Amino acid sequence: MKLEDKYKLLEKKKKEAALSGGIDRIEKMHKAGKKTARERINDLMDPGSFVETDKFVTHRCSDFEMQKNKILGDGIITGYGRIEGRLMFVFAQDFTVFGGTMSRANADKVVKLMQTALKMGAPVIGLNDSGGARIQEGVESLAGYADIFYLNTMSSGVIPQISAILGACAGGAVYSPALTDFIMMVNKTSNMFVTGPDVIKAVTHEEVTKEDLGGAMAHNSKSGVAHFVAENDEQCMMMLRELIGYLPSNNMEEPPFKTSLDDKFREDEKLQTVIPDDPNKPYDMKEIIVTVVDNNNFLEVMPYYAQNIIIGFARLNGQVAGIVANQPQILAGVLDINSSVKAARFVRFCDCFNIPIITFVDVPGFLPGTTQEFGGIIKHGAKLLYAYCEATVPKITVITRKAYGGAYDVMSSKHIGADVNYAYPTAEIAVMGAEGAVNIIYKNTLNEEERNSAVENYKNTFANPYKAAELGYIDEIIYPKETRIKLIQALEMTKNKRKTNPPKKHGNIPL
Ligand code: HXC
């Protein structure tokens, strides 16, 4: 072959690979309101930065006459590129090629990518859109999945792993995204389920649509499997870029600092009146969070699930922080099973990746009831307790109002290793609310007048932050309007925190 022909051959193969499963299948995707794998990668990465690897890989299967049907790339696009200049590894299942299904060769591409990402200390973003195991390859496909699950687990806590679900994701295929740190789904075009509607109907006689069973909102609001929902593929890529902007590239790095133009000393008078006079009146904790963070930018994680607790990322004077906050507007901010698990996983994520945790507390306690007790609130609540105890990143706490009972201990109290504990003058740090306390202490021995006076007495003695401050459990009682600068000072003071837990193989978090 002449030199010129050799170059032509390469050109031809490149063009062939770029066409994936062909124009018809690409058009079918567009008609369904979806973008192709390549278009998604283009939207995700900095322009021109994506380098595709293994684009000439084909499957090695000869069952079902598959040797006659080979498509370059074999249904997955892998490579690396940049997001805001930072190195990222990405794979995108290409639905136009064998439905983006997992073959041995396809899995090998992902495994190679993940191993390289781990070595280079850079995040992996997976864009999932696949019919699952490639049926023609049988156990080869299952082996490929398992290799990926193993690497997901080995990479956990070392490099951030993020999954976007942009189409079908069913059967065991759901477990790779489930092992990653964050799952983003696209409304109306993505599904996740272990068994689909037909199997469910056959086994349990339940009738449910794909969307109700495993659509974006099912997993964002009901199951808690997913963390974000986007309206379309394009928005999903933008949201992935935003999320990754808060995360370090690996567990040995600090999260990315961004110079802030927001005044470090900015005070906000409106915070002085956010907490209502009446302690039983709800208010929106998000108002406090949004007011104090840089440019009022707060990226809420799992905004539709267990809304009695708020989690998310923000920056303060340029430094990234993970925020956990009770939300008095929903269920009075009580801790229940779902909110405990939601916050526990987030606290552990922040701890893995050197992200300081700021906790805003207004919690009346744990939710009572048989549903909670039989559901295991004891072990699930313990997850949050465990997560806070083991976290060695800077921990800063602001008690805005109620910090009652065991929930006071759990929500990043001084006793479980918080570094800076603030309280507003409106804080009430006590074993329980005044009414409940008086009922228990005096049983039914008081008339109404005596009861009222006992309640008032309890409130004066305990429903304030001063007892805890006298004991040094609260470092400083602050005006709400100065929250921003106080948090920034605490972040600056704790910046070089050195703390390690006793050496162990790993702890035994109550799962
Ligand atoms: C091989 C598959 C396939 C599969 C789809 N295709 N699923 N090829 N193995 N599992 C192919 C189709 O033949 C078709 O090829 C192309 O992908 C697109 O599929 P369509 O059915 O035309 O698309 P659509 O109507 O959009 O439906 C998409 C779908 C459906 C919902 C994903 O294809 C489907 O239900 N597939 C089967 C899903 C499944 O049961 N997978 C196994 C799950 S178990 P052509 O050539 O016509 O374009 C599993 C175990 C994993 O995954 C275990 C891990 C531990």
Side-chain angles (χ1 to χ4, degrees), residues 40 43-45 83-84 125 127 162-166 182-187 216-217 220 226-247 298-304 313:
R40 288 165 178 161
D43 287 345
L44 177 65
M45 309 304 262
I83 292 182
E84 291 192 15
I125 301 172
L127 308 182
I162 304 175
S163 303
I165 314 296
L166 304 142
F182 296 103
I183 297 180
M184 204 170 276
M185 294 184 74
V186 176
N187 210 7
M217 284 322 290
N220 271 274
H227 303 82
F228 300 96
V229 57
E231 279 314 307
N232 51 45
D233 286 6
E234 219 167 5
Q235 192 191 31
C236 184
M237 297 309 121
M238 291 303 107
M239 287 169 71
L240 287 170
R241 286 178 66 90
E242 187 185 356
L243 171 62
I244 207 84
Y246 288 102
L247 316 183
F298 175 55
L299 176 63
E300 189 172 356
V301 177
M302 300 178 89
Y304 302 105
F313 298 106

Side-chain angles (χ1 to χ4, degrees), residues 25 28 95 98-99 101 131-136 142 145 149 168 170 172-173:
R25 290 195 183 91
K28 199 175 159 196
F95 193 78
F98 307 119
T101 49
R134 191 168 304 165
I135 293 164
Q136 296 90 333
L142 303 185
Y145 271 118
F149 300 157

